[in-house]
Amino acid sequence: MTEALFRDDSYLQTCQARVTGVNERGGILLDRSIFFATGGGQPGDTGMIERPDGSSIAIGATVFGESKEQIVHVPAAEGPLPDVGETIVATIDWHRRYRHMRMHTALHIICAAMRTKITGAQIGEEESRIDLNMQDPPDRDAVLAAIMEAVNADHPVTTEWITDAQLDANPDLIKSMSVSPPRGSGLVRLVRIGANFDLQPCGGTHVRTTSEIGQVTITKIEKKGRLNRRIRIRLDD
Ligand SMILES: [Zn+2]
């Protein structure tokens, strides 16, 4: 099991950790990590692991292992692997991750502003997309105005935890038709934007306040099936 430090503080860029194993495919397991593992449409982190002897291992991908309690750090290339028990320093590619956090939070805003369910999402460093369950094409200017109103409102983004039973009693909290809530431990993490602008189960990483998203551009609105509209966005900086 890996202690997922990014769940409580998504702004950690580096941490010390102990190597607890190396799996059969060369993936590195740590007792704690700031590396987000691919899930919910958000790519896993890339970065670096520095060994006590001064050498370093570039990490090209981060994924879940046998369960969602285990985070696997996949080296970008073949090479020497750390020893079990070794204390290393892990550092993420912060420029890339911070863009993922801004994009991810922007997608929450679009979903909340459009007041509809999500049928898919893919976050990227350069461009992200969200698929919404909508019959009529949304007006581009109206969508952008709604996004920027929420960005400029500087809403705080906070997390809270509820039990699986509480989520079962409030199924309307689930906004995604494609990604199931991060269950497993008996508790589900909710992400709240503003007092009540958006509230939904999510295991991803987000910015602390919506103003950090900055200016957004809608690059495309596409029809993807009779009941599906895809909105593509970019960050202006
Ligand atoms: Zn989220």
Side-chain angles (χ1 to χ4, degrees):
M1 172 170 175
T2 318
E3 189 190 349
L5 301 176
F6 54 82
R7 247 169 235 157
D8 291 322
D9 185 356
S10 59
Y11 286 75
L12 291 173
Q13 298 178 35
T14 186
C15 79
Q16 247 187 16
R18 200 169 50 81
V19 177
T20 56
V22 175
N23 73 16
E24 65 283 359
R25 295 184 303 278
I28 300 164
L29 310 177
L30 304 172
D31 63 342
R32 59 213 291 262
S33 184
I34 51 170
F35 280 68
F36 177 81
T38 301
Q42 182 176 336
D45 283 320
T46 56
M48 197 71 84
I49 285 179
E50 288 170 72
R51 302 183 62 194
D53 66 4
S55 67
S56 56
I57 301 167
I59 300 300
T62 308
V63 294
F64 286 115
E66 289 156 12
S67 74
K68 296 213 164 180
E69 307 291 303
Q70 190 182 66
I71 295 172
V72 181
H73 308 78
V74 183
E78 276 186 42
L81 291 164
D83 298 320
V84 172
E86 206 170 280
T87 297
I88 57 88
V89 175
T91 306
I92 55 170
D93 177 344
W94 175 246
H95 176 81
R96 177 174 179 269
R97 154 72 94 69
Y98 187 54
R99 291 185 71 83
H100 290 165
M101 286 161 56
R102 292 167 65 202
M103 289 282 203
H104 189 135
T105 312
L107 296 189
H108 276 253
I109 285 177
I110 295 174
C111 166
M114 297 293 103
R115 293 192 174 81
T116 182
K117 299 268 182 182
I118 305 165
T119 53
Q122 185 59 52
I123 292 156
E125 201 178 343
E126 297 304 325
E127 189 178 71
S128 299
R129 62 172 167 81
I130 185 166
D131 292 348
L132 298 171
N133 187 41
M134 296 179 92
Q135 194 163 1
D136 299 318
D139 177 73
R140 180 192 291 242
D141 292 341
V143 177
L144 184 60
I147 297 170
M148 292 316 300
E149 188 186 333
V151 167
N152 293 327
D154 200 18
H155 290 304
V157 182
T158 54
T159 58
E160 52 204 81
W161 296 82
I162 59 170
T163 63
D164 287 353
Q166 285 173 309
L167 181 61
D168 291 337
N170 295 279
D172 287 348
L173 284 172
I174 300 170
K175 305 280 173 25
S176 177
M177 296 161 74
S178 61
V179 177
S180 39
R183 293 175 191 260
S185 59
L187 290 173
V188 178
R189 181 177 182 253
L190 298 182
V191 174
R192 184 186 289 277
I193 300 182
N196 260 317
F197 182 76
D198 185 40
L199 180 66
Q200 60 175 298
C202 187
T205 60
H206 312 82
V207 290
R208 286 187 188 116
T209 159
T210 56
S211 62
E212 290 185 41
I213 296 166
Q215 182 66 45
V216 170
T217 297
I218 295 176
T219 45
K220 212 173 192 182
I221 296 180
E222 301 165 87
K223 182 173 178 171
K224 289 281 172 186
R226 195 172 62 86
L227 285 174
N228 206 29
R229 304 289 156 171
R230 174 170 294 176
I231 301 176
R232 294 180 181 275
I233 60 164
R234 295 178 81 90
L235 303 172
D236 281 13
D237 62 84

